[in-house]
Amino acid sequence: MEAQAIFDMLKGKFGDAVVELQGEGFGPAFVVVSPAEVNAIARFLRDDPALSFDSLMCLSGVDYKERFAVAYHLHSMKHRHAVGVKAFLPREAPSLPTVDDVWPAANFQEREAYDLFGIAFEGSKDLRRILLPEDWEGHPLRKDYKYPDFYHGIKV
Amino acid sequence: MSNDPANGRPPGPDQPPSANPAHGSVPLPATGPEAHVLVGSADLFVNWARKSSLWYLLFATACCGIELMQAGASRYDLDRFGAVFRATPRQSDLMLVAGTITHKMADRVKRLYEQMPEPKYVIAMGSCANTGGPFYKDSYCVVKGVDLLIPVDVYIPGCPPRPEALIDGIMKLQKIIMQKKNYGPKA
């Protein structure tokens, strides 16, 4: 199924929660959605027989300086089609619902986005830092991140 | 064959010096049973023993570990030099830091080093362990050289070093060990 058809299907089901389709010059195209509805849309994308996106290929955090985004790359083993879903978040206290009850593989990737971007995933099974030490301060992949001078007495 | 009446031993290469023109006029010590004593320093013996059984701690944190495995396997065969790997710091003499050390790993590096019995030696293998290597500039998570954490005896450059370089580093460490003074007066 083409991205435009997927977008129209989501638009008919979720209305204003589906904002726009970004597909100029790259693939797969991104369906931009409202962050509050991410979990419901993800469940629909997985369970609808015409879509059946059973594989979450990648979940990424993105820093656009004025705002954050979380991008989901989805793939369907059954229909062999792919689509992206993107949700924009405010710079202050970015937060959106988890999708790890839809795709269990999301957990590690959400932890990575939480660790490196400080994006909170509400309702997550286990939201902890995954790469950095537990007592690390800040989220290093943010564009405004300042490196610490020392960590545990060792120069960084 | 009759024994030599002078020392009770069969005539041979250890005849008195006067009989051997190669020795010239330098007198050799007496060659009786009382002369069968190995004279040397305790340092020499202990250092020889230590350098000949450098058991190293398996500590591979990145791609240098692959070269370390090669050096330990049959083609390069580190066992020739008495260096065999140990999976526990308590049986190790040498810590081969093979790979990138992150700040999260730094506490573990120190703890493993402290668990090793004396005397203990450290080889920093590869650019990451020497200086941080490709992560020197602009990395928040990599320790810029393992010598910020523990004392290092030998640095092996390379990214990663070939097994020959690793063996050369171990032989450099053996030379260092042979120069140690264990029993002399303290400076």
Side-chain angles (χ1 to χ4, degrees), chain B residues 16-39:
Chain B
S18 57
N20 189 344
H23 287 286
S25 59
V26 180
L28 284 183
T31 50
E34 72 281 1
H36 290 191
V37 175
L38 188 67
V39 178

Side-chain angles (χ1 to χ4, degrees), chain A residues 131-132 136 140 147 151-152 154-156, chain B residues 103-104 106-107 138-140 143-144 149:
Chain A
L131 297 169
L132 291 165
W136 192 271
Y147 288 9
Y151 174 74
H152 285 192
I154 305 158
K155 191 155 177 10
V156 171
Chain B
H103 282 287
K104 197 175 182 180
D107 291 344
D138 223 24
S139 170
Y140 55 87
V143 178
K144 309 299 187 303
L149 309 173

Side-chain angles (χ1 to χ4, degrees), chain A residues 52-82:
Chain A
S52 53
F53 284 104
D54 49 6
S55 167
L56 174 69
M57 290 194 292
C58 187
L59 188 157
S60 327
V62 192
D63 186 349
Y64 286 106
K65 285 188 178 171
E66 71 277 9
R67 58 183 176 172
F68 288 114
V70 176
Y72 306 79
H73 281 88
L74 308 177
H75 182 259
S76 170
M77 296 286 179
K78 186 177 167 192
H79 299 302
R80 301 280 170 186
H81 57 192

